[in-house]
Amino acid sequence: MKVLVAVKRVVDYNVKVRVKSDNTGVDIANVKMSMNPFDEIAIEEAVRLKEKGVATEVIAVSCGVTQCQETLRTAMAIGADRAILVESTVELQPLAVAKLLKALIDKEQPGIVILGKQAIDDDCNQTGQMLAALADLPQATFASKVEVADGKLKVTREIDGGLETILVTLPAIITADLRLNEPRYVTLPNIMKAKKKQLDVYKPEDLGVDVTPRIKTLKVSEPPKRSAGIKVPDVATLVAKLKTEAKVI
């Protein structure tokens, strides 16, 4: 059984992002980029499924600019067998990515597709759900535990009220939550091996997908700075201020 894993190249989570002076977007010039943390968890889960003998091949997929090859090499260093890059200089929005992944699912016929639940740059949390709808496949979002038994997936997922356990038939789409696993440390020998692994490059038109953006960003601005708090001498003063100044009670 093949496992397809989508990975995204984003600004590293340790970097403080800055808005461009003209408010057209985020400044990524000379900024460290890395794999989206949720996608790293997704790759780790796929590799663990292979180590358990459930999966036979792990394929990492990324959509974006040429530099996404670095992210795919990292995925192969973690344990993916090969990689596919859908190269495009156009801004790829969640629907476009879902359509590209749908085309690759039709091509590769994987048994399981794993994505991170969201990307830390746009925080959309849309691609997995859109992909499930386009491919007409069952989905298990926000997965914190995945077990494969009798050709089905038993997935424990995080919901507002606690945990929910569902059973889905294969093939299926999974989106990985933070508590699904802890990704392994990538060793130097595996980084060297990843350089020799197969990496195929396609264009959106090769897959017959229109990736024209459907949403236009009008303005990007930083959130307002928080004002300093104040100290109150007692509870009565606090309640009075909440009533008269904050007007929340």
Side-chain angles (χ1 to χ4, degrees):
M1 179 174 66
K2 292 180 184 177
V3 179
L4 192 76
V5 186
V7 298
K8 185 176 184 182
R9 177 177 179 262
V10 299
V11 175
D12 190 87
Y13 67 92
N14 288 313
V15 174
K16 178 175 171 51
V17 290
R18 300 184 186 281
V19 175
K20 290 180 180 176
S21 56
D22 59 1
N23 295 109
T24 56
V26 172
D27 187 5
I28 58 169
N30 302 315
V31 170
K32 183 186 176 186
M33 307 292 280
S34 60
M35 188 190 299
N36 179 45
F38 289 102
D39 298 342
E40 205 171 343
I41 292 166
I43 277 284
E44 175 66 29
E45 191 63 25
V47 173
R48 289 187 187 188
L49 288 173
K50 187 184 176 189
E51 288 170 348
K52 290 174 186 174
V54 173
T56 54
E57 186 181 27
V58 177
I59 308 163
V61 178
S62 191
C63 305
V65 294
T66 308
Q67 289 89 333
C68 291
Q69 290 190 24
E70 300 164 17
T71 308
L72 289 170
R73 292 292 177 197
T74 302
M76 289 190 283
I78 293 172
D81 298 294
R82 60 187 173 94
I84 298 171
L85 170 62
V86 183
E87 192 175 347
S88 175
T89 54
V90 177
E91 179 201 352
L92 294 174
Q93 294 173 352
L95 180 59
V97 175
K99 287 179 178 178
L100 292 169
L101 293 175
K102 161 68 166 61
L104 290 173
I105 287 174
D106 293 340
K107 185 180 178 68
E108 296 288 345
Q109 296 293 309
I112 302 173
V113 181
I114 311 179
L115 305 88
K117 72 168 185 176
Q118 66 197 74
I120 61 170
D121 53 0
D122 56 20
D123 259 349
C124 278
N125 176 23
Q126 295 175 350
T127 309
Q129 293 88 326
M130 287 177 169
L131 176 59
L134 291 171
D136 195 24
L137 293 175
Q139 61 178 320
T141 55
F142 317 132
S144 60
K145 187 177 180 183
V146 176
E147 298 171 85
V148 182
D150 303 323
K152 292 185 179 180
L153 284 178
K154 185 180 178 183
V155 180
T156 303
R157 53 190 302 269
E158 308 243 342
I159 58 173
D160 290 341
L163 298 174
E164 177 185 57
T165 303
I166 59 173
L167 202 64
V168 294
T169 55
L170 296 174
I173 313 284
I174 300 172
T175 68
D177 205 339
L178 201 60
R179 279 162 283 278
L180 182 57
N181 61 53
E182 188 172 333
R184 69 194 67 191
Y185 179 75
V186 180
T187 61
L188 184 59
N190 286 340
I191 292 171
M192 301 308 292
K193 285 178 190 173
K195 292 181 180 180
K196 297 178 182 178
K197 290 184 179 180
Q198 180 183 344
L199 195 159
D200 299 318
V201 180
Y202 297 102
K203 299 283 186 185
E205 45 269 30
D206 298 335
L207 301 171
V209 177
D210 176 18
V211 295
T212 307
R214 301 292 200 274
I215 300 168
K216 182 181 178 183
T217 302
L218 300 178
K219 183 182 178 184
V220 177
S221 57
E222 289 190 15
K225 291 184 179 178
R226 293 177 63 180
S227 55
I230 59 167
K231 289 183 179 180
V232 292
D234 51 43
V235 175
T237 311
L238 172 62
V239 173
K241 284 187 177 292
L242 290 173
K243 277 183 179 177
T244 59
E245 294 179 21
K247 291 184 169 51
V248 294
I249 56 172

